[in-house]
Amino acid sequence: MPFNTTTNRDMPRKENKTTYAMPNGEQITLTPQTVRQYLVRGNGNLTDQEVMMFLALCKSQKLNPFVNDAYLIKYGDKSPATIVVGKGALEKRAELNPQYDGKEAGIVIATESGLEYRMGALLRPTEELVGGWCNVYRKDRKRPERVEVSFDEYIGRKSNGEVNSQWASKPATMIQKVAVSQALRAAFPNDLNQMYGQEEMDSSIPEPITMQPYAEIQQPEPAAISAPNMVREMQQPVQPQAMARELDAADLL
C-alpha cells in the first residue's frame, strides 16, 4: 500500500485572524503579523502573549488600530509592551453611551492668592502650571465625575530625565488630556476598561516614537548532505526486521 509522506511541516500554515465590526458597521480584520509589522512602535520584539492581548482588547472594545484608536509600544525585548489608545478613541466610545452628557476640562494655575481652575488649556509664559482637571457628566447621576491630576506626576520625560518634546512644547494641553482620560474612564468603567492614553504612560519611555518593521525570525538552513554520504547510505542493505516493522506500522494507519 502507498505511504503517506505528507507531514505537518509540508501543510500550509493557517493564519490566525481576528475579525470584528466597529460601531459604525465597518469590518476590521487583524492578524498577528499585521500587528507586528504595522501596529507596534519601538525596537522591541513582541511576545505571542502581548500580541494576543492587543488583539483581544481591540476586538472587545471595538477599536480600529489603523486610525490610531490603539497601538502597541515596546522598547527593548525585556520591557513589557504597553497598549495605548488615542484620546479621540476614549471620547468616541463615551459618546456611544446613552448616559453621556458632555464634559468640562481645563488646567490648574498657581497664583499668589491660591489655585486658579481655568477652563481650557490657555497658559501664559509667566504662569506656573500645577495640574489639570475634568468633569464628566452622566444623565443618570446628579454629580459629575471629577478628576484633578498633578502636573509633576505625569510630565513626560526621556530616558535621560529631560522633558520630552510633547510635554515641553504644550504642557497645558498634555496635562488636560490626562485629566480627561482619567475622568472618562472613571465615569464609564464598563466601556473604557483597560484603555489608557499615551499621555498617561510611564515618563521613562524614550522618544521619538518611530514605526519599526517586524523582522521575521530567519529559519536555519537545512544541513547539507554530501553526495558520498548519500551514496553510502543508499548502498547499505535494508534489514528484513526493519522492513517488517515499517510494514506493520503502515498497516495500522
Side-chain angles (χ1 to χ4, degrees):
M1 62 181 294
F3 291 95
N4 183 7
T5 58
T6 302
T7 65
N8 293 335
R9 183 177 299 179
D10 298 325
M11 298 177 64
R13 181 176 298 177
K14 183 178 180 181
E15 187 178 24
N16 295 324
K17 292 183 179 181
T18 298
T19 302
Y20 53 94
M22 295 290 293
N24 61 1
E26 180 184 3
Q27 291 289 323
I28 302 295
T29 298
L30 296 173
T31 66
Q33 183 178 359
T34 301
V35 172
R36 286 187 163 99
Q37 188 169 357
Y38 299 109
L39 303 176
V40 61
R41 303 183 182 188
N43 55 8
N45 292 318
L46 295 172
T47 65
D48 292 341
Q49 182 182 16
E50 290 168 339
V51 172
M52 296 310 297
M53 290 180 63
F54 180 75
L55 292 173
L57 177 67
C58 289
K59 183 177 182 179
S60 64
Q61 297 291 357
K62 302 297 186 293
L63 299 173
N64 184 357
F66 298 110
V67 294
N68 286 333
D69 278 354
Y71 52 89
L72 278 165
I73 293 181
K74 182 160 185 175
Y75 288 93
D77 295 342
K78 296 182 179 180
S79 301
T82 303
I83 300 176
V84 178
V85 300
K87 171 176 170 284
L90 292 172
E91 295 194 25
K92 287 188 294 184
R93 186 54 43 79
E95 289 178 353
L96 293 176
N97 192 302
Q99 300 301 332
Y100 182 62
D101 200 24
K103 71 178 189 308
E104 297 173 327
I107 56 177
V108 184
I109 308 298
T111 65
E112 295 181 356
S113 57
L115 298 179
E116 175 187 346
Y117 289 81
R118 181 177 300 171
M119 185 81 72
L122 176 61
L123 178 68
R124 300 180 181 86
T126 58
E127 293 179 323
E128 181 184 358
L129 177 65
V130 296
W133 63 272
C134 180
N135 290 332
V136 174
Y137 296 91
R138 290 184 54 137
K139 298 175 183 178
D140 57 348
R141 296 180 183 176
K142 295 181 178 180
R143 297 181 178 84
E145 188 69 45
R146 182 176 179 85
V147 167
E148 298 180 13
V149 293
S150 172
F151 179 79
D152 290 337
E153 290 184 4
Y154 288 95
I155 182 171
R157 299 183 183 276
K158 304 177 185 178
S159 56
N160 61 5
E162 296 179 359
V163 178
N164 67 38
S165 59
Q166 291 279 352
W167 284 85
S169 60
K170 43 187 178 183
T173 299
M174 295 300 289
I175 195 61
Q176 182 183 235
K177 285 183 177 181
V178 173
V180 170
S181 297
Q182 292 198 12
L184 287 171
R185 199 164 50 248
F188 302 99
N190 295 328
D191 298 331
L192 307 179
N193 184 36
Q194 299 300 317
M195 296 174 65
Y196 296 89
Q198 181 181 349
E199 60 276 356
E200 299 178 87
M201 292 169 51
D202 189 343
S203 60
S204 64
I205 292 179
E207 61 168 5
I209 298 174
T210 56
M211 190 73 74
Q212 299 289 340
Y214 170 63
E216 294 187 357
I217 300 175
Q218 298 295 326
Q219 298 295 332
E221 295 292 335
I225 301 177
S226 62
N229 291 337
M230 183 180 298
V231 172
R232 285 197 298 270
E233 291 179 0
M234 294 178 63
Q235 291 176 346
Q236 291 179 357
V238 178
Q239 299 298 326
Q241 296 86 349
M243 181 178 295
R245 286 195 297 272
E246 292 179 3
L247 291 175
D248 292 342
D251 292 337
L252 295 175
L253 299 177

